[in-house]
């Protein structure tokens, strides 16, 4: 890694990763042995089932619910669905009939099961083919149009609630310098156990994540990419109760990044931990196949916990997110781990502490496209102070070699940003990136200085915490409020009723493919590191 270098103890770093692997393994085993309604619905989406009934309930929900009621979820729904399909022209007609109570589902055996497997593999394979085509399409566009000329990439949010208002705002932001456009999801969508259909215009503080909204925004940004001469990346959220389905839709509509954290939904949306870990594994497998960069959510911990006292919990979460991602087959270049500029500015040496934390993340994960989040918790409504604080954030991002820089807003915690707010914020970023380009090459904290000592202190605390998690179990650590001071027991939260332990004869054609993709052998693990 070029640029700043901290004298981290390699033995301590190796111990941290080994402990993270041990802490994660019971959760990986749990995820491998269960399925969820959203995993099964995602499989139907990959097989091509779209649309919704007159009440807006997606056909994937109607069909999955009908099968689960008759044969259970624990066997997987693919065999009953594709066995029944022999008597219907397509999945949509089958879903109509199932919703009307006109289909009797059963688990086929013998030749009937073999024929159902063949039909299922063919249909789901078409979905994976579409994802592969979209990945090749992205690669071709980047080769033709070009990447942004600088790193970090400038990441900016739009959040009107109306996709047709989001589009011109996103295009204007790209023309003003943004490299990544994130469309914030409507408040509450994480808690919906279905994905709305079609283009939506009524989201609250954000726009619904739907396949059609993805398609519309991607097409608009492709147009703008050609106009500005650099490929503009599109981000949304694969989180909440429909994480696997949204991941599948993102892959089929060529999104480039997805927020996808292993614990965010547990901690901040009170979604059941078991449901979340099963869903996140499947969704990351899809992201790996689609070439989508995930963004994890460690920055959120520091909005509820103190950023100095809880710094080591961010490092622990990053190491766990890395382990879960690797196990799912997601390589480091797609692992956008998160961290944040959230230390109270009134704390003495706050900027030096921020540099220590940012450098620690950068050095622990040298090949990961880290996403550096701006100050939010300590923004006061004083827009002049806020703009200055955002400037310090931008400076820290350049000095420590961050990969993705989310644009901070001087009006944070006051109003949803106006276009003029975004323009001023982008001016701030552009100035710092231009004036300080290459500063990371000249920034070399002394080995015995404040920054190096602080980074090593945080790493040591992270190792100690990982040791306790190995002893107590990750699910118990989450229940005890270890991360973000949120207490979330394994048997609580939303969505547990949508989880089923896999039966011995469980089969899912999507998992069959994705598990083969994600076999993380020791050689692959070493290569990823």
């Amino acid at each position: 890694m070029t640029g700043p270098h901290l004298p981290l103890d390699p033995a301590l770093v190796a111990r941290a990763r080994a402990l993270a692997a041990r802490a994660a393994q019971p959760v990986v085993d749990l995820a491998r042995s269960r399925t969820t309604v959203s995993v099964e619905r995602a499989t139907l989406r990959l097989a091509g089932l779209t649309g919704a009934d007159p009440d807006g309930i997606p056909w994937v929900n109607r069909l999955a619910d009908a099968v689960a009621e008759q044969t259970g979820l624990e066997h997987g729904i693919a065999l009953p669905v594709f066995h029944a399909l022999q008597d219907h022209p397509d999945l949509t007609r089958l879903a109509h009939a199932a919703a009307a109570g006109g289909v009797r589902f059963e688990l086929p055996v013998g030749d009937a099961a073999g024929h159902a497997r063949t039909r299922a593999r063919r249909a789901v394979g078409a979905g994976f083919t579409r994802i592969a085509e979209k990945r090749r399409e992205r690669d071709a566009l980047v080769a033709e149009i070009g990447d942004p000329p600088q790193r970090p990439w400038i990441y900016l949010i739009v959040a009107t609630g109306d996709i047709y208002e989001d589009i011109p705002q996103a295009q204007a932001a790209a023309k003003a310098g943004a490299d990544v456009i994130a469309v914030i999801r409507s408040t509450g969508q994480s808690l919906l156990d279905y994905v709305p259909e079609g283009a939506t215009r009524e989201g609250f503080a954000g726009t619904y994540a739907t396949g059609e909204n993805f398609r519309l925004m991607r097409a608009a940004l492709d147009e703008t990419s050609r106009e500005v001469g650099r490929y503009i990346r599109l981000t949304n959220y694969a989180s909440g109760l429909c994480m696997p389905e949204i991941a599948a839709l993102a892959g089929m509509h060529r999104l480039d990044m997805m927020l996808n954290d292993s614990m965010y939904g547990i901690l901040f949306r009170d979604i059941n931990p078991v449901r979340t870990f099963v869903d996140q594994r499947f969704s990351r497998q899809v992201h790996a196949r689609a070439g989508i960069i995930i963004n994890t959510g460690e920055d959120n911990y520091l909005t509820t916990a103190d950023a100095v006292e809880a710094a080591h919990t961010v490092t622990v979460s990053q190491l766990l997110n890395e382990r879960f991602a690797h196990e799912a087959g997601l390589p480091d270049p797609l692992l956008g781990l998160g961290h944040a500029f959230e230390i109270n500015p009134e704390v003495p040496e706050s900027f030096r502490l921020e540099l220590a934390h940012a450098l620690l993340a950068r050095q622990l994960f040298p090949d990961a496209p880290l996403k550096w989040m701006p100050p939010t918790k300590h923004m006061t409504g004083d827009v002049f102070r806020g703009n200055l604080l955002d400037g310090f954030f931008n400076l820290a991002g350049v000095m420590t070699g961050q990969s993705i820089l989310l644009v901070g807003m001087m009006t944070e915690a006051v109003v949803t940003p106006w276009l003029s707010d975004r323009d001023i914020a982008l001016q701030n970023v552009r100035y710092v990136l231009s004036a300080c380009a290459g500063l990371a090459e000249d920034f070399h904290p002394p080995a015995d200085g404040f920054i190096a000592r602080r980074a090593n202190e945080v790493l040591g605390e992270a190792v100690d915490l990982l040791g306790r998690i190995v002893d107590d179990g990750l699910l118990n650590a989450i229940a005890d409020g270890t991360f973000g001071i949120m207490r979330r027991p394994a048997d609580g939260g939303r969505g547990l009723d949508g989880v089923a332990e896999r039966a011995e004869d469980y089969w899912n054609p999507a998992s069959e493919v994705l598990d083969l993709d994600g076999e993380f052998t020791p050689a692959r693990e070493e290569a990823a590191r």
Side-chain angles (χ1 to χ4, degrees):
M1 182 183 70
T2 60
H5 184 79
L6 295 171
L8 301 179
D9 180 353
L12 194 62
V13 173
R15 177 164 171 75
R17 282 201 161 87
L19 287 170
R22 290 174 60 192
Q25 193 58 48
V27 173
V28 170
D29 294 340
L30 178 149
R32 281 178 170 270
S33 65
R34 286 161 175 76
T35 188
T36 73
V37 289
S38 189
V39 166
E40 302 302 320
R41 295 193 304 248
T43 303
L44 293 177
R45 289 187 181 276
L46 288 167
L49 183 55
T50 61
D53 71 10
D55 295 322
I57 301 173
W59 289 121
V60 293
N61 285 67
R62 298 302 301 264
L63 183 53
D65 289 349
V67 176
E69 183 177 345
Q70 295 185 41
T71 67
L73 200 64
E74 63 271 19
H75 308 282
I77 69 170
L79 282 180
V81 164
F82 284 91
H83 176 58
L85 190 62
Q86 64 185 342
D87 299 322
H88 296 82
D90 54 44
L91 283 173
T92 302
R93 300 289 183 85
L94 175 63
H96 282 235
V103 182
R104 181 182 176 186
F105 293 100
E106 61 183 10
L107 284 167
V109 296
D111 289 344
H115 294 317
R117 282 194 176 90
T118 299
R119 286 190 289 269
R121 287 179 177 132
R122 185 183 302 120
V124 171
F128 284 130
T129 297
R130 182 176 174 187
I131 288 174
E133 289 170 349
K134 291 298 180 181
R135 184 170 186 169
R136 288 193 295 269
E137 195 174 82
R138 179 195 301 117
D139 292 343
L141 284 169
V142 170
E144 175 192 350
I145 301 171
D147 261 330
Q150 90 297 316
R151 293 298 288 265
W153 289 336
I154 302 170
Y155 177 117
L156 187 135
I157 289 169
V158 297
T160 71
D162 181 343
I163 188 61
Y164 294 107
E165 290 296 329
D166 282 344
I167 286 171
Q169 290 202 15
Q171 291 178 312
K175 292 173 185 177
D179 304 310
V180 182
I181 298 296
V183 182
I184 294 292
R185 283 200 315 189
S186 178
T187 297
Q189 186 174 357
S190 286
L191 306 183
L192 298 180
D193 213 344
Y194 67 94
V195 179
E197 287 286 327
T200 61
R201 309 197 67 175
E202 297 180 344
F204 179 76
T207 303
Y208 286 100
T210 76
E212 179 63 6
N213 286 349
F214 290 173
R215 186 191 69 79
L216 289 168
M217 184 62 81
R218 181 65 271 167
L221 291 181
D222 282 350
E223 178 184 319
T224 304
S225 295
R226 295 184 184 281
E227 185 175 345
V228 300
R230 66 186 192 283
Y231 182 70
I232 306 300
R233 286 170 169 80
L234 175 59
T235 301
N236 213 286
Y237 290 63
S239 60
L241 290 170
C242 294
M243 198 186 305
E245 294 173 80
I246 295 173
L249 289 169
M252 291 188 286
H253 289 284
R254 193 170 33 92
L255 271 73
D256 307 287
M257 297 182 188
M258 296 296 283
L259 277 74
N260 184 243
D261 184 74
S262 62
M263 293 188 284
Y264 172 83
I266 300 169
L267 302 177
F268 298 99
R269 295 295 180 266
D270 195 20
I271 296 172
N272 175 260
V274 178
R275 172 74 175 264
T276 297
F277 283 120
V278 177
D279 283 349
Q280 68 92 27
R281 181 174 185 271
F282 185 96
S283 64
R284 288 183 176 192
Q285 290 179 310
V286 173
H287 289 143
R289 178 164 270 249
I292 291 174
I293 296 171
I294 69 166
N295 297 155
T296 62
E298 284 82 5
D299 55 284
N300 293 281
Y301 306 170
L302 304 185
T303 63
T304 52
D306 182 81
V308 178
E309 294 178 0
H312 64 294
T313 69
V314 169
T315 302
V316 167
S317 179
Q318 290 168 335
L319 288 162
L320 290 170
N321 258 313
E322 176 190 56
R323 183 61 189 182
F324 289 133
H326 283 178
E327 189 280 327
L330 200 75
D332 284 348
L334 300 181
L335 184 53
L337 297 168
H339 55 133
F341 191 92
E342 290 286 17
I343 297 173
N344 187 339
E346 303 303 323
V347 171
E349 313 283 8
S350 64
F351 189 65
R352 296 173 83 189
L353 288 167
E354 293 283 9
L355 291 175
H357 299 173
L359 270 179
L360 175 62
R362 179 70 284 170
Q363 190 160 325
L364 282 176
F365 310 101
D367 299 317
L370 301 184
K371 180 184 171 191
W372 181 226
M373 298 288 286
T376 58
K377 183 176 180 179
H378 299 288
M379 299 291 271
T380 64
D382 179 339
V383 295
F384 301 103
R385 177 181 181 274
N387 199 35
L388 177 62
L389 194 58
D390 285 334
F392 271 83
F393 159 73
N394 296 330
L395 178 60
V398 174
M399 291 177 68
T400 59
Q402 302 304 306
S403 307
I404 303 166
L405 200 68
L406 195 146
V407 176
M409 293 292 155
M410 72 296 296
T411 49
E412 179 73 39
V414 181
V415 295
T416 299
W418 300 94
L419 287 175
S420 56
D421 301 337
R422 293 195 181 100
D423 188 57
I424 293 170
L426 284 166
Q427 287 180 31
N428 187 325
V429 177
R430 289 198 305 268
Y431 170 73
V432 174
L433 263 59
S434 174
C436 302
L439 184 58
E441 297 177 10
D442 303 314
F443 176 46
H444 297 284
D448 59 349
F450 178 94
I451 290 173
R453 291 198 305 272
R454 174 58 181 168
N456 277 285
E457 177 185 21
V458 173
L459 178 59
E461 292 174 350
V463 168
D464 290 343
L465 176 55
L466 281 166
R468 295 196 296 275
I469 292 174
V470 167
D471 291 338
D472 298 338
L474 179 55
L475 292 178
N476 289 330
I478 294 170
D480 290 341
T482 300
F483 302 97
I485 63 174
M486 298 292 186
R487 298 178 182 271
R488 303 300 190 195
D491 59 354
R494 300 171 174 86
L496 180 58
D497 57 348
V499 180
E501 188 167 356
R502 294 182 181 184
E504 288 188 9
D505 62 351
Y506 175 82
W507 185 74
N508 181 313
S511 294
E512 183 178 62
V513 171
L514 294 171
D515 284 345
L516 186 62
D517 282 354
E519 286 184 352
F520 213 72
T521 64
R524 285 183 61 192
E525 184 168 5
E526 182 62 29
R529 291 179 180 175

